[in-house]
Amino acid sequence: MKMSIRAICTMVFAVVAYSQAAFAVVYPLPANNGRLVGENTTFVIPQGSKLPLEHFAAQFQMGLSNMLEANPGVDTYLPTPGTVLTIPHQLILPNTPHEGIVINSAEMRLYYYPKGSNTVVVLPIGIGELGKDTPMNWVTSIKYKKAGPTWTPTAKMHAEYAAAGQSLPAVFPAGPDNPMGLYAMYIGNLYAIHGTNANFGIGLRVSHGCVRLRAADIKWIFDNVPAGTRVQFINDPVKTTVEPNGVRYIEVHNPLSANQQEFESQEPLPVVLTGSDKLLMTDPSVNQQILDKAIQQRSGMPIQVSAEQTPVAAAM
């Protein structure tokens, strides 16, 4: 099977990242203001495997939500050997400045644009649970960094655990058993980007509002992102782009529940196109049947919804 130049480049950058950047997936930024990067791949669950989906998600630098959207119906705890998994390494960059860190809660990914590198580092994250949400519309910066953070639960946290018949220590000391992991980057009085001692939460809403990364990922971010770096929080379940060749793509994720009623509902939350996304998708070149199917399926992967536009010949 022949591979496209883009796929080969993506693999090269992924291998370099794997060997030099603690498993971070690194993409070259597209030329001519394009926003589509990467190529999807597939992986077959080995025969005899008794490993959970989290194992394979971590192997390919994905969160559980990314894998479940791309592979609906797969067993989270024990994927069937022989199952062909789609690895959603193709994505649309958020419609934000290519600067610092961008955290998109809806897709549970962190984007980091190293200065002067013309690349973007993409990492899966865990975010705040319902009612303890990670910020979703905020521009701030990294105030300071700390190796070996301690964690002091709030009075409200102590009360919540007590109501469930559990108790928390007054302070969790630094170390591998600390829920904040081994490294933390503080972005305000209440929030931090930090590690975890429970990798299954990457790609899920499990924290008290902070952003969680796997141990190798937070180590890489901690070592490479300086204090003072810009951090932007967004909540965009839909991303769209018009590529330099005129082709339009849409990437749809499941929107985050905003309240308990939505969380408990068996019906999927509506996906509503607004602003520039609506403008791009109402263009006459868009195939509305393909667009409707992409919105319905919510695969978390870019879907092409229009054909390449033929350039208009210059007048002689």
Side-chain angles (χ1 to χ4, degrees):
M1 180 180 68
K2 293 183 178 180
M3 297 183 68
S4 68
I5 294 299
R6 179 180 296 187
I8 293 171
C9 289
T10 299
M11 286 188 65
V12 170
F13 274 84
V15 169
V16 171
Y18 182 91
S19 61
Q20 296 182 1
F23 309 110
V25 176
V26 184
Y27 300 96
L29 293 180
N32 301 319
N33 297 315
R35 289 174 41 226
L36 184 71
V37 300
E39 288 283 346
N40 296 327
T41 58
T42 58
F43 174 78
V44 180
I45 302 293
Q47 294 299 322
S49 172
K50 295 184 179 180
L51 296 168
L53 187 61
E54 158 60 26
H55 171 86
F56 302 106
Q59 180 178 337
F60 290 99
Q61 199 56 26
M62 293 285 127
L64 272 178
S65 62
N66 307 135
M67 294 293 283
L68 290 171
E69 286 179 334
N71 300 277
V74 69
D75 192 315
T76 304
Y77 300 101
L78 188 62
T80 305
T83 297
V84 179
L85 296 177
T86 297
I87 311 301
H89 272 152
Q90 187 178 61
L91 48 85
I92 297 172
L93 298 176
N95 190 17
T96 63
H98 292 173
E99 179 184 355
I101 288 174
V102 176
I103 293 167
N104 187 3
S105 291
E107 64 173 317
M108 301 198 196
R109 284 188 176 121
L110 179 153
Y111 296 81
Y112 173 52
Y113 298 90
K115 277 187 177 181
S117 70
N118 204 39
T119 63
V120 59
V121 179
V122 183
L123 299 169
I125 59 173
I127 62 172
E129 60 184 280
L130 182 66
K132 301 163 187 172
D133 301 287
T134 297
M136 296 182 183
N137 184 19
W138 186 30
V139 177
T140 181
S141 64
I142 296 172
K143 307 304 180 186
Y144 65 97
K145 307 192 299 183
K146 183 175 178 57
T150 59
W151 179 48
T152 303
T154 64
K156 185 176 181 180
M157 294 175 189
H158 282 288
E160 290 175 358
Y161 275 77
Q166 302 174 356
S167 62
L168 290 172
V171 177
F172 278 86
D177 295 329
N178 190 311
M180 292 187 70
L182 299 177
Y183 302 92
M185 303 169 64
Y186 293 89
I187 46 181
N189 294 329
L190 297 177
Y191 301 103
I193 300 171
H194 61 74
T196 179
N197 63 348
N199 281 340
F200 70 85
I202 303 302
L204 299 175
R205 300 178 73 175
V206 292
S207 78
H208 284 83
C210 291
V211 175
R212 292 185 181 182
L213 293 98
R214 293 188 179 101
D217 295 339
I218 187 60
K219 176 68 164 61
W220 188 91
I221 286 285
F222 188 89
D223 288 344
N224 289 277
V225 179
T229 296
R230 180 183 189 270
V231 180
Q232 181 173 0
F233 289 86
I234 61 175
N235 178 32
D236 291 349
V238 176
K239 296 183 293 181
T240 61
T241 181
V242 180
E243 290 302 285
N245 60 2
V247 176
R248 294 166 190 259
Y249 291 84
I250 188 170
E251 177 182 326
V252 184
H253 298 265
N254 285 303
L256 297 176
S257 303
N259 53 56
Q260 195 67 32
Q261 181 178 357
E262 290 182 353
F263 183 77
E264 295 176 352
S265 174
Q266 299 301 309
E267 296 296 322
L269 295 179
V271 172
V272 179
L273 300 182
T274 60
S276 61
D277 293 328
K278 184 176 182 179
L279 184 63
L280 290 180
M281 292 298 110
T282 53
D283 187 88
S285 66
V286 171
N287 184 314
Q288 290 299 315
Q289 289 184 324
I290 297 176
L291 173 62
D292 291 343
K293 185 176 181 181
I295 292 175
Q296 180 182 9
Q297 290 185 333
R298 308 170 188 209
S299 68
M301 297 181 288
I303 303 297
Q304 181 177 332
V305 295
S306 74
E308 183 173 349
Q309 296 182 8
T310 303
V312 178
M316 297 298 292

